[in-house]
Amino acid sequence: MAELYPPIEPYDHGMLDTGDGNLIYWEVCGNPEGKPALVVHGGPGSGCSTGIRRYFDPGRYRVVLFDQRNCGRSTPHASDPAADMSRNTTEHLLADMERLREHLGVDRWLLFGGSWGSTLILAYAERHPERVSEIVIAGVTTTRRSEIDWLYRGVGRFFPGEWDRFRSGLPEADRDGDLVAAYARLMESPDPEVRSKAAIDWCAWEDAVVSLEPNGAPNPYSDGAPADLLALVRICSHYFAHGAWLEEGVLLRDAGRLAGIPGVLIHGRLDLSSPSDTAWELARAWPDAELIVIGDSGHTGSDTMREQMRGALDRFAGR
């Protein structure tokens, strides 16, 4: 196992009122006088895990974690069909991050995350570069529609049986159209059995895509609690059906706005769900980023990837 820091507990936490009916859970760990860092979780809709705290030197970092809208400990939870998804967009999340920064009195912070968190980090940093000291990303994505199409259609050539089952989970009339949008509609069904089956089918497909990774855990998506799976799939399908409300390719096009922000991009060469060409394109467009490709890792990571993640954070701790 990769050598990480010992487990730590938050010394402060709370619920941030967004003013529109949402409450965002946040917590702070480590050294109150340390270097500020914000953990931006993936999914969208996975919530923040306690294990991610262990990548930071608790004596040198003031680590802020939060659960994005409608997932984790934030309320209302997306597993509740009454939760209003129209108030959960990329713009809402960017505003929440700024509101949290101001609430905690942070001037500039390091951003750390991966997968969907990568997209949100890049969107935030390109919007507010003066508020970002460094960036560390493990598993680079920009949520282009081309990336979404690959994940829910193109990569099916490697898993034809599993992809056919994913497609067959939809009504017959939807099977040749936009599969992600069709799943998003199922997740808004008033019938709890329809929502539950759609969430199970979606997670089975996600598990299949990462199933060849030599150092990944089996069934990383399906193993969650039922309410968390419902929230994850409802939020994921909601975001991906709308291309995360981002102009196609905008995060790569505007990567020049990151000039002067040191970054480390850590990406698994065996990542079928998010192939490494996106990480390579970003590294070319962002002059201050270092790309590290991990030969034994896919999307779910490996000890080698975890060592590189901790190493990058250790290097930035003293800046």
Side-chain angles (χ1 to χ4, degrees), residues 92-128:
H92 286 98
L93 299 187
L94 295 176
D96 293 345
M97 292 165 71
E98 266 298 270
R99 187 177 287 108
L100 180 58
R101 182 189 64 77
E102 293 170 355
H103 176 73
L104 295 176
V106 173
D107 181 47
R108 297 169 74 226
W109 47 13
L110 176 149
L111 303 179
F112 173 63
S115 194
W116 157 254
S118 166
T119 296
L120 192 53
I121 283 171
L122 294 170
Y124 177 90
E126 291 178 12
R127 178 79 57 86
H128 304 287

Side-chain angles (χ1 to χ4, degrees), residues 11 140 156 158 160 281-282 284 295-296 301:
Y11 65 79
V140 178
F158 293 98
E281 291 176 72
L282 178 60
R284 291 188 71 192
D296 71 348

